[in-house]
Amino acid sequence: MAISSGKRKRVSKKTKFAWRKHSNVADIQEFLQDKWDEERLGAPLETVPSDEIFVLDTTSKQAQTSQTLSRQQRKINASRPLKGFSALQPHTQVPDPIKKRNRVKTPEERKSALVKVALQNNIQNGVFPYKYVNALEERRLYELKKEKKEKRGEFLKDIWSKNQNHSIQSDPWANPVTKVHNLRNTGIPVKKIANDLQKKKSLLPAVEPPHPGMSYNPSFKDHQDLLRTVAEDENKIIKEEKHIIRVTKDMFRKISSTEKTNEWIVEMSEGMLSNSNEEIVDTKVKAESDDDEGLISSGISVNPPVQNKKKSVQQRRKQREQLDLENQKRALKREKKKIGDIHKIKVLQKDLQLAEKRQAKLRELRKINIEKNKLKPKMLSATKFEDLGPDFQMGQDISGNLRAVKKEGSLLLDRFKSLQKRNILEPSKKAHTKKPKVKKYTKPGFKEDWEKTVARKGAITKGK
């Protein structure tokens, strides 16, 4: 402990702030810090006796085998605490200020002494608790499983054998869910294919047979049939295009811009009064206003007088009789209609039979259309499927032999369209956008005359 030397100032230490400010406690803090370090790390080496620092080696100098060393090392390692519990151990030699701490007792420690004695007596008499019996059973099963387990280097199972069958697989009464549950963890692979994958997307064949007229040496009849089908398809396309032009472009007549503006002016001015019409209307309005003023000045009302005449008793009685008569007529008409409907039962039955026949025909037509639609491509996307059509050649282009045959169509494109037609791929369009043209130019500050600076014009002329 270092004692501070020096003349102290006589200052007031009345308050805590003044005491802390004018009191020098550095030597006391240093002494306490040394004490705390000794408690945490131990006493200094000069104060510790040699018996605690050094250990006397009493082992023999004979060479020991690696096996004995490993056994001894294993014993030492077993006696040491686990590394996982090192975080729970104290890292200082400072004793715990609380001498007695509460600890959670184990279930065995919490048991009453009487319960322990009763349990021991039951075990001696052959009455075992469920936990004890269950533990013995689990231990027995574990030992059996351990015996059946393959040891390292043993290959008792043939993993490539295809005869891995289970009795439940051929059981007709077992539910599919039950089969999957029983086959789990048996080593037999349980494969479940989705229902959509099991069904065919289309009834069309993968490779359709080509038309006989597409041969390199077809007969005249087959070639003419092929050309006829191609011409019919082309006529359909032309007809559709003409129809679109007729209902869009040809519906409107062509006029010049001046005619269009004139027509618009005439159309917008419809219903507006001209000057002559306005004068006539003004004279009529003035005449009517003069007549009204004359009537008002003479004291006569413009509208005729209205009297509140009430109906007499006789008029009300006749009105009531008339309403009763109308109600009777309606009731009589309803009864006649019911009788007429009874006589019309046969006609109604005929109408119902005709309606049923009509519905049956519609059902048959729907079934036929459904069967036809199975052979057509479905709408899998916003783009409609477009068939390429059959490849054909005109009569003068047919070679007659394989050497001089001309190439028509593409095999890759044909397979791609076949996948779309069979609903395996969705129809699509090319999504490649055109790249904008980049205008290239050289900035004036970066221009470089290569003939003068790099190539030297005089050297080029000499080489020429």
Side-chain angles (χ1 to χ4, degrees), residues 49 70 129 164 235 243 256 283 294 304 326 337 347 361 424 443:
S70 61
Q164 295 181 357
N235 286 329
H243 170 71
S256 62
T283 53
E326 287 179 1
K337 189 175 182 300
V347 179
K361 284 182 181 179
I424 297 170
K443 287 185 178 180

Side-chain angles (χ1 to χ4, degrees), residues 35-36 38-40 90 92-99 101:
K35 283 287 183 185
W36 293 335
E38 286 179 10
E39 288 180 357
R40 187 167 56 86
T92 178
Q93 294 183 1
V94 178
D96 192 356
I98 301 172
K99 301 296 181 184
R101 287 185 178 275

Side-chain angles (χ1 to χ4, degrees), residues 4-207:
S4 61
S5 62
K7 195 174 182 179
R8 294 183 180 179
K9 291 181 181 180
R10 296 180 63 83
V11 291
S12 175
K13 296 182 182 179
K14 188 177 181 180
T15 59
K16 279 187 179 181
F17 178 77
W19 181 271
R20 288 170 183 165
K21 183 179 179 182
H22 300 294
S23 298
N24 188 10
V25 292
D27 50 353
I28 300 167
Q29 291 289 341
E30 188 179 350
F31 173 75
L32 291 174
Q33 189 66 38
D34 293 342
K35 283 287 183 185
W36 293 335
D37 291 342
E38 286 179 10
E39 288 180 357
R40 187 167 56 86
L41 304 173
L45 292 176
E46 57 266 15
T47 61
V48 179
S50 300
D51 297 340
E52 293 182 10
I53 299 173
F54 303 103
V55 179
L56 186 63
D57 188 8
T58 58
T59 56
S60 62
K61 294 182 180 180
Q62 296 177 0
Q64 295 178 349
T65 60
S66 61
Q67 187 176 4
T68 56
L69 286 172
S70 61
R71 283 180 184 175
Q72 288 177 1
Q73 192 66 32
R74 280 200 296 272
K75 286 181 181 178
I76 293 166
N77 292 340
S79 63
R80 290 175 182 169
L82 295 174
K83 286 185 178 180
F85 298 146
S86 62
L88 304 175
Q89 298 297 329
H91 299 284
T92 178
Q93 294 183 1
V94 178
D96 192 356
I98 301 172
K99 301 296 181 184
K100 188 179 180 181
R101 287 185 178 275
N102 294 331
R103 184 178 61 83
V104 179
K105 293 180 179 180
T106 60
E108 197 66 30
E109 290 174 349
R110 286 199 296 270
K111 279 184 182 178
S112 175
L114 294 173
V115 174
K116 289 180 182 178
V117 172
L119 186 63
Q120 193 68 26
N121 292 335
N122 288 338
I123 291 170
Q124 288 176 2
N125 294 331
V127 180
F128 299 98
Y130 174 74
K131 279 185 179 180
Y132 188 75
V133 176
N134 192 24
L136 290 174
E137 183 65 21
E138 287 182 355
R139 184 68 184 173
R140 187 181 65 81
L141 293 172
Y142 175 73
E143 293 293 337
L144 289 171
K145 188 178 178 181
K146 194 175 180 181
E147 288 177 4
K148 291 180 181 179
K149 191 177 180 181
E150 295 179 1
K151 296 178 182 178
R152 186 178 292 179
E154 290 183 354
F155 302 101
L156 303 177
K157 286 183 181 179
D158 185 9
I159 60 173
W160 303 108
S161 64
K162 295 182 180 178
N163 299 324
Q164 295 181 357
N165 294 324
H166 199 274
S167 59
I168 200 168
Q169 285 180 313
S170 58
D171 190 357
W173 300 100
N175 197 21
V177 179
T178 309
K179 290 180 181 180
V180 172
H181 176 74
N182 284 277
L183 291 174
R184 194 175 289 137
N185 298 327
T186 57
I188 300 170
V190 181
K191 295 178 182 178
K192 188 179 179 182
I193 302 170
N195 296 328
D196 293 340
L197 296 175
Q198 292 177 356
K199 294 178 183 177
K200 279 191 173 183
K201 302 288 183 184
S202 176
L203 299 176
L204 292 171
V207 180

